[in-house]
Amino acid sequence: MDAANFLFVSADAALITDLAWQVHREGHAVKYYIEAESDQEIGDGFVPKTDDWRAEVDWADVIIFDDIWVGSDVGTGALAQELREEGHAVVGGTPNTDRLEEDRGYAMEVLEDHGVNTVEHHVFHEFDAGIQHVRENPAPYVIKPLGEVQNVKRLLYVGNEDDGSDVIDVLKAYKKAWGHRMKGFQLQRKVEGVEVAICGFFDGDEFVDRVNFNFEHKKLFPGNIGPSTGEMGTSMFWAGRNRLFEETFGRIEGWLADEGYVGSIDINCIVNETGIYPLEFTPRFGYPTIALQEESIESSTGEFFYDLAHGNAPEPEVHGGYQIAVRVVLPPFPFDDEKTYDESSRNAAVVFQTEHRDGSHASGASVTSSGVAPDGIHLEDTKQVDGQWRVAGESGMPIVVTGKGETMSAAREQAYDRIDDVVMPNMYYRDDIGERWIDGDGDRLQAWGYLGP
């Protein structure tokens, strides 16, 4: 396609930097706006910036939003809807699709109204009411905060005790520590099975034929131990409209069309031999999933999003095997500790090993001689200063490393070989991304009949 003008608008945490960089490297004109003051240096030196995205709307052929909020009170879904009504081509949501993530009770209502199974769930706005519910209905539950604090991922708690006693203890602790900010929470009955997310790209009328199935790794440490982080890595493959798709998104495709939604939308589920049980929506790009999707879309990324925004029935060419993404992080991630970040991570160099002709390695520059990062290296909180990659922002999430292969084992090998060439003092990451699939998740999904049509 001819070069086009892309305006990227980052509402909250500058999570769309790598996509903007990819489109820019394909020869398109890019302007990138970041709302959060603490993150405005992210992407410097990689993509052109703007400090007034509204002034660039008429310039843009495509406008892409990366989150559901702008500032503190205006959803990007409302902005995207307004711009579409004015005739602009926009990748973004609507007020109702924003609400799918913000209001978990509403999300379950939408699913139930369209005949989708849901886990038993209850929304509470008072801690004592939630505690009383668990006492009267003893069982393991999952605590999911609502509203402002739902992005504090470490507050999500998965109960282990059959009588719910640990959930009661956690709710009591949250009442003391977070009662002033946590205005509500959802209790979901815990369901055992394989956790899998179905992710599709919707063009305003229908889903793109290729569907993405991914497996999130949310805990900080290998073995799924430690605090929740949002995500430490993802394993993934692409397939057609199989049973997982048809019994979830297949049933709400008409609702999304009525909304005019355009973009990536994900529904995370627990699956077992008795059924598919959706847990939560992500009506926006997932992170680091978008880096993995970029890596595995083998046709033009810019053309794909141009066609998606214009309703041109995009047909991306995707990798036919398996893919994994590993988030490489620095202290104090996933916590907020400005002193630790200043001492250990702020402005730290991101360096890659270079290979000598004899096959040995030595520390190299931030970029290869062509000025492009090594294969499989994707930006998160990174900037470039005089050719040197440096950590930016305040979150300690500088890069994502990806790999792909005909098997999940091959994808893992490629990704972790690439990580071996990354040099950052104090960096850490999970070394087990993709192992769940190898250890049996894939076999169980196949045996239960979910991967076929």
Side-chain angles (χ1 to χ4, degrees), residues 27 93-94 96 123 155 176 334 386:
T94 73
N96 282 336
V123 172
L155 293 180
K176 291 182 179 179
D386 298 327

Side-chain angles (χ1 to χ4, degrees), residues 99-398:
R99 193 179 171 195
L100 291 175
E101 183 170 4
E102 176 200 1
D103 184 343
R104 298 181 193 274
Y106 172 74
M108 295 298 109
E109 289 176 11
V110 170
L111 291 170
E112 290 164 356
D113 287 346
H114 292 83
V116 181
N117 288 332
T118 60
V119 178
E120 180 189 335
H121 57 276
H122 305 273
V123 172
F124 298 94
H125 297 283
E126 299 291 339
F127 285 96
D128 290 343
I131 291 168
Q132 186 63 27
H133 176 83
V134 177
R135 284 176 174 156
E136 293 176 355
N137 303 274
Y141 291 89
V142 180
I143 303 172
K144 294 189 172 185
L146 303 179
E148 174 196 1
V149 298
Q150 68 177 299
N151 290 325
V152 184
K153 300 300 183 183
R154 63 184 179 273
L155 293 180
L156 184 146
Y157 180 76
V158 180
N160 294 305
E161 300 299 329
D162 289 341
D163 63 358
S165 57
D166 57 335
V167 171
I168 290 173
D169 289 342
V170 171
L171 287 174
K172 288 179 177 177
Y174 284 179
K175 180 180 179 180
K176 291 182 179 179
W178 290 89
H180 62 297
R181 290 183 59 191
M182 190 186 294
K183 304 305 181 184
F185 57 93
Q186 183 186 71
L187 290 180
Q188 280 185 350
R189 184 71 70 98
K190 183 179 178 182
V191 177
E192 299 291 347
V194 174
E195 185 174 354
V196 55
I198 302 103
C199 181
F201 286 94
F202 199 82
D203 70 0
D205 294 310
E206 61 184 358
F207 279 98
V208 174
D209 280 341
R210 305 309 290 168
V211 182
N212 183 267
F213 300 89
N214 60 81
F215 304 83
E216 301 173 348
H217 298 64
K218 297 180 180 179
K219 297 288 189 175
L220 180 61
F221 299 116
N224 224 32
I225 297 169
S228 292
T229 66
E231 196 157 350
M232 287 298 290
T234 308
S235 59
M236 187 184 87
F237 65 91
W238 297 83
R241 295 180 172 225
N242 59 23
R243 183 179 167 196
L244 285 171
F245 175 87
E246 293 296 351
E247 294 187 14
T248 54
F249 279 136
R251 295 183 179 177
I252 65 166
E253 193 165 15
W255 184 85
L256 289 169
D258 290 341
E259 285 293 314
Y261 183 83
V262 178
S264 171
I265 184 166
D266 175 295
I267 186 165
N268 197 32
C269 304
I270 292 289
V271 176
N272 58 34
E273 66 273 17
T274 65
I276 303 169
Y277 303 96
L279 303 177
E280 59 191 4
F281 281 97
T282 303
R284 53 177 173 80
F285 295 114
Y287 306 97
T289 307
I290 182 57
L292 199 48
Q293 290 165 336
E294 288 174 51
E295 179 82 2
S296 58
I297 293 176
E298 297 180 337
S299 49
S300 166
T301 305
E303 184 174 359
F304 172 67
F305 282 102
Y306 182 94
D307 286 344
L308 192 76
H310 286 85
N312 292 343
E315 297 181 355
E317 298 175 13
V318 300
H319 179 250
Y322 297 85
Q323 306 90 36
I324 77 162
V326 183
R327 181 171 263 160
V328 179
V329 299
L330 295 169
F333 182 87
F335 302 104
D336 297 323
D337 184 333
E338 186 174 355
K339 180 179 179 181
T340 298
Y341 182 72
D342 286 343
E343 291 175 350
S344 303
S345 305
R346 190 178 298 278
N347 288 315
V350 182
V351 176
F352 307 111
Q353 298 278 7
T354 58
E355 188 170 330
H356 296 305
R357 291 184 178 179
D358 64 2
S360 62
H361 288 74
S363 293
S366 290
V367 293
T368 64
S369 58
S370 65
V372 178
D375 290 342
I377 305 297
H378 299 265
L379 307 177
E380 284 206 304
D381 294 355
T382 314
K383 61 185 176 182
Q384 190 170 196
V385 181
D386 298 327
Q388 171 72 64
W389 286 28
R390 293 193 173 275
V391 176
E394 296 183 343
S395 300
M397 303 185 303

Side-chain angles (χ1 to χ4, degrees), residues 28-142:
H28 301 286
V30 166
K31 294 183 181 180
Y32 183 26
Y33 171 83
I34 299 172
E35 172 82 9
E37 184 175 350
S38 61
D39 292 330
Q40 288 176 357
E41 65 175 358
I42 293 171
D44 283 358
F46 291 102
V47 292
K49 297 286 196 66
T50 178
D51 58 7
D52 184 359
W53 70 270
R54 287 188 176 275
E56 311 294 346
V57 164
D58 290 334
W59 166 86
D61 297 309
V62 181
I63 304 166
I64 300 179
F65 289 98
D66 83 335
D67 210 338
I68 65 170
W69 297 109
V70 167
S72 59
D73 57 358
V74 181
T76 58
L79 297 174
Q81 186 177 67
E82 171 190 327
L83 291 168
R84 278 194 289 266
E85 289 172 353
E86 294 173 0
H88 299 284
V90 183
V91 175
T94 73
N96 282 336
T97 60
D98 281 1
R99 193 179 171 195
L100 291 175
E101 183 170 4
E102 176 200 1
D103 184 343
R104 298 181 193 274
Y106 172 74
M108 295 298 109
E109 289 176 11
V110 170
L111 291 170
E112 290 164 356
D113 287 346
H114 292 83
V116 181
N117 288 332
T118 60
V119 178
E120 180 189 335
H121 57 276
H122 305 273
V123 172
F124 298 94
H125 297 283
E126 299 291 339
F127 285 96
D128 290 343
I131 291 168
Q132 186 63 27
H133 176 83
V134 177
R135 284 176 174 156
E136 293 176 355
N137 303 274
Y141 291 89
V142 180

